[in-house]
Amino acid sequence: MERGRRVRAIGWLALLGVAGCGGAAGSAREPPTEPVGRAAPSARVTTGDDEREEARADAPPIVPAHGPLSEDDLHRGVIARLGDAPFAACTVEPLPPALRRRVRSGDDVASLRAHVSMDVPDDAITTARVEGREGVVYRSAALDPRSEVGDLGYRVRLRDATTGAEEDLALGLTALRPLVLVHNPMVPLVEGGAVQIEAELRAMDDASIDFRPLDATSTTRDGRERLVRCRLEDLRRDQDRDGLTDVAEQRLLTDAWDPDTDGDGTRDGDDVSPLGSAAPASDADAVWLAAAREIARDEDGLHVVVRSGARLDLGAREEGGARVLVLREDELAAYQRRYGLRAPVVIAVRMRGRDRAEVTVDRVWSQSVLDARRDASGVWSLVAR
């Protein structure tokens, strides 16, 4: 799907600015003291193993199988989960003096690849070989929408050097919200059952974002090094065994105790849009659904789409395909208060007869217009103008 002309989208800024500035941006303006979790709930400093175990002991049972949820039930669930205290798999603490670098310089990807034999993504931050295991920490759009804001999430990929078995886990941390992970060869990547990496406070100031070219974007820094530690046990945790870790479920606003949050028959880990269970109720719905599926096939990562109507069932996710997080406007505002400003996608459909429609896909910083046509079998197809 081609992207068209660049737009300023002033109307969206009213919504996005209020939502973003009320949360992460407000915290970013003041350099936080330790712990830094308040500025970004997903990076919140935890209070110890005893409290973790106590919280698990009080957790409700896994939700039994159920049918498709109504839009009202889905909405109530999303708002309730956004109001819950976030689960943080990582702690943040001052970097011990013994681990501080003598020379502060970043390694390029070619140098990082030379340290390990495993595949290293282009967005790699650090690589290491530790105790028969190789690893890479890298930036990813899997749980954070890819946009000109550039605040992608962090993941770790670990490989057993003996068996070749790999696992790829979300850390639940997003660049610039409020930390940026950095390469430090002095810090063992895996130690004591935890992934660890150096971080710097570099919090995005959402008030400086207007979705033009981002030369005006500003960040808050304080120059103090941190050590981020993420327990592998917590990173792997998948309480409802649906193929999504609890860290991932939190970012996708799904229920970590329900393997099929929307009840559409596809488990959350395999669902393109695990909050969508409705069938199209009109031709305009069918065209919208075709456009949303095209977006999911077009690029990897996560796309946040705003829709006022019922959330439609986009079906099972293709191998390596994207996910579509469909939110109502009040949900988007709460989502941004927790995770920071995001550039949502808006799909507008205008019917031009029984078998034709015009589709506008507005990504805030760009816009594309497509023609939709229905064939004799009733299938809608989209063609870029």
Side-chain angles (χ1 to χ4, degrees):
M1 185 182 297
E2 295 184 6
R3 294 186 178 175
R5 60 184 180 84
R6 190 175 292 270
V7 295
R8 291 192 62 179
I10 299 299
W12 269 108
L13 293 177
L15 169 65
L16 297 179
V18 170
C21 296
S27 298
R29 293 190 187 100
E30 294 294 332
T33 56
E34 304 294 346
V36 299
R38 184 165 183 163
S42 61
R44 179 170 299 186
V45 172
T46 54
T47 54
D49 295 343
D50 292 342
E51 291 189 9
R52 270 200 189 94
E53 296 304 325
E54 181 180 345
R56 291 175 190 170
D58 295 337
I62 293 177
V63 176
H66 56 84
L69 294 186
S70 68
E71 176 57 34
D72 286 345
D73 285 340
L74 284 168
H75 177 60
R76 279 192 291 268
V78 168
I79 292 298
R81 288 188 287 276
L82 281 167
D84 289 342
F87 163 66
C90 302
T91 61
V92 183
E93 57 196 58
L95 184 71
L99 298 180
R100 290 178 183 162
R101 291 168 286 172
R102 297 285 195 277
V103 178
R104 301 184 64 82
S105 62
D107 282 11
D108 57 30
V109 174
S111 298
L112 296 177
R113 286 175 173 151
H115 298 160
V116 294
S117 61
M118 65 187 297
D119 178 53
V120 175
D122 291 339
D123 278 328
I125 305 299
T126 189
T127 57
R129 182 190 291 266
V130 182
E131 298 175 355
R133 187 158 32 182
E134 295 182 333
V136 55
V137 174
Y138 66 101
R139 288 179 293 265
S140 168
L143 300 177
D144 294 88
R146 187 183 300 276
S147 75
E148 290 190 359
V149 177
D151 46 349
L152 299 181
Y154 291 111
R155 301 181 69 88
V156 61
R157 184 177 299 159
L158 299 173
R159 178 179 181 272
D160 188 301
T162 302
T163 66
E166 288 193 7
E167 57 183 339
D168 195 299
L169 303 165
L171 301 184
L173 305 173
T174 303
L176 305 171
R177 307 288 176 178
L179 300 172
V180 172
L181 303 187
V182 297
H183 173 66
N184 180 353
M186 300 289 292
V187 178
L189 183 60
V190 180
E191 184 176 80
V195 172
Q196 50 186 22
I197 186 171
E198 183 183 332
E200 300 172 353
L201 173 70
R202 205 182 306 166
M204 175 74 74
D205 180 1
D206 285 342
S208 68
I209 301 172
D210 63 5
F211 293 101
R212 296 177 298 177
L214 296 178
D215 54 346
T217 301
S218 62
T219 58
T220 298
R221 304 168 183 248
D222 69 358
R224 291 180 294 178
E225 304 101 330
R226 273 86 170 172
L227 180 67
V228 172
R229 286 180 52 84
C230 310
R231 294 204 325 171
L232 283 167
E233 176 187 352
D234 289 332
L235 296 179
R236 293 168 175 148
R237 185 169 132 186
D238 178 8
Q239 296 174 115
D240 55 7
R241 299 178 295 281
D242 62 356
L244 286 179
T245 65
D246 289 7
V247 171
E249 299 237 24
Q250 182 168 247
R251 301 308 291 263
L252 295 174
L253 306 182
T254 50
D255 188 343
W257 292 94
D258 186 345
D260 182 10
T261 298
D262 56 17
D264 64 358
T266 303
R267 69 173 192 162
D268 291 343
D270 300 325
D271 207 331
V272 172
S273 182
L275 296 178
S277 60
S282 65
D283 286 341
D285 276 357
V287 174
W288 188 98
L289 183 62
R293 284 175 172 162
E294 188 70 21
I295 289 172
R297 286 191 294 266
D298 186 45
E299 300 176 10
D300 62 356
L302 178 68
H303 302 271
V304 175
V305 177
V306 178
R307 177 175 165 86
S308 58
R311 280 170 261 232
L312 304 179
D313 182 4
L314 271 67
R317 182 169 172 253
E318 297 178 2
E319 182 70 25
R323 282 194 170 89
V324 178
L325 177 59
V326 182
L327 300 178
R328 289 163 51 161
E329 288 190 3
D330 59 336
E331 296 168 356
L332 174 65
Y335 174 83
Q336 291 184 127
R337 283 194 293 272
R338 173 170 285 195
Y339 296 119
L341 192 63
R342 292 293 187 266
V345 180
V346 179
I347 303 171
V349 176
R350 294 181 182 178
M351 298 303 301
R352 301 296 192 189
R354 184 175 181 275
D355 297 318
R356 296 186 61 186
E358 178 185 280
V359 181
T360 302
V361 180
D362 191 343
R363 300 174 183 268
V364 178
W365 69 88
S366 68
Q367 188 181 83
S368 57
V369 181
L370 306 98
D371 289 321
R373 288 180 173 81
R374 177 163 47 189
D375 63 21
S377 63
V379 177
W380 287 93
S381 60
L382 301 172
V383 179
R385 287 185 175 179

